[in-house]
Amino acid sequence: IATIGAATLSDAKAIHADALVIDGLQCCDFDRPLLEEALRGGVTAINHAAILWENFRGGIDRVTEWHRLFDANADIVMPVRATADIHAAKAAGKLGIIMGWQNTSPLEDRLDYLAVFKALGIGIMQLTYNTQNYAGAGYLEDTDAGLTGFGRELVAEMNRVGVLCDLSHVGEVTAADA
């Protein structure tokens, strides 16, 4: 048996088999073969962040697509709404999907939409995607003034309802403010 440092290959395989393996970001269009491939690779859960520029209606449409994916593949996949669901997916031999966004654009300028999307299963939201939005500046902006007033309220509301605030693609000042 080949060795990997102090551990044997079989030890490494056992560690991987027992580990919670979470893919922090996938933006692909999932189908059953991709879900099965992730399971074969030992992935426990994936943050499937598919929102980029959509508005409220686009966000609702995307959630509807995810729910169809869950229904069609219920034998191998399950939604993740809380940390306990990641452990449940592992125990059930299923792939957990954390529904996430790469932009808060579907909220438009409405804080009350956040709780609606949380109730529908959205667990992670990136504040901005590259450019300025209602919340703050993306990393591509020449001027990063930080979180807007709406952005400060949004971060507080994300904390209140339990949506993870992803700071990828945001400007440095916006990230520091968050």
Side-chain angles (χ1 to χ4, degrees):
I1 295 177
T3 60
I4 301 172
T8 65
L9 183 57
S10 62
D11 290 339
K13 287 181 180 180
I15 290 168
H16 182 72
D18 290 340
L20 293 177
V21 178
I22 301 172
D23 183 333
L25 179 62
Q26 281 298 327
C27 297
C28 62
D29 290 327
F30 281 108
D31 58 14
R32 188 168 182 98
L34 280 172
L35 298 169
E36 291 171 339
E37 183 179 347
L39 275 172
R40 281 192 308 275
V43 177
T44 310
I46 295 173
N47 169 25
H48 184 207
I51 295 291
L52 290 176
W53 308 110
E54 289 82 355
N55 61 11
F56 178 82
R57 175 61 189 262
I60 292 293
D61 289 345
R62 194 65 183 136
V63 168
T64 301
E65 290 171 23
W66 275 318
H67 285 267
R68 278 195 295 261
L69 178 86
F70 294 139
D71 290 345
N73 298 283
D75 59 319
I76 62 168
V77 70
M78 62 179 277
V80 170
R81 292 175 176 261
T83 305
D85 294 334
I86 296 170
H87 294 279
K90 179 75 170 180
K94 293 184 178 186
L95 178 64
I97 300 291
I98 306 162
M99 293 190 290
W101 293 354
Q102 285 196 278
N103 200 344
T104 53
S105 57
L107 301 177
E108 299 175 354
D109 63 347
R110 301 281 304 269
L111 284 176
D112 54 340
Y113 286 175
L114 182 65
V116 170
F117 281 109
K118 172 63 177 176
L120 293 172
I122 304 302
I124 299 173
M125 291 182 187
Q126 195 174 104
L127 284 180
T128 69
Y129 184 74
N130 300 341
T131 59
Q132 181 77 35
N133 68 11
Y134 287 119
Y139 84 99
L140 291 178
E141 295 294 330
D142 290 334
T143 302
D144 178 359
L147 285 176
T148 64
F150 177 81
R152 290 180 192 286
E153 292 179 65
L154 178 58
V155 170
E157 185 68 358
M158 291 171 86
N159 285 322
R160 188 186 74 77
V161 302
V163 172
L164 180 79
C165 182
D166 181 348
L167 299 177
S168 306
H169 299 269
V170 306
E172 290 180 23
V173 177
T174 299
D177 285 353

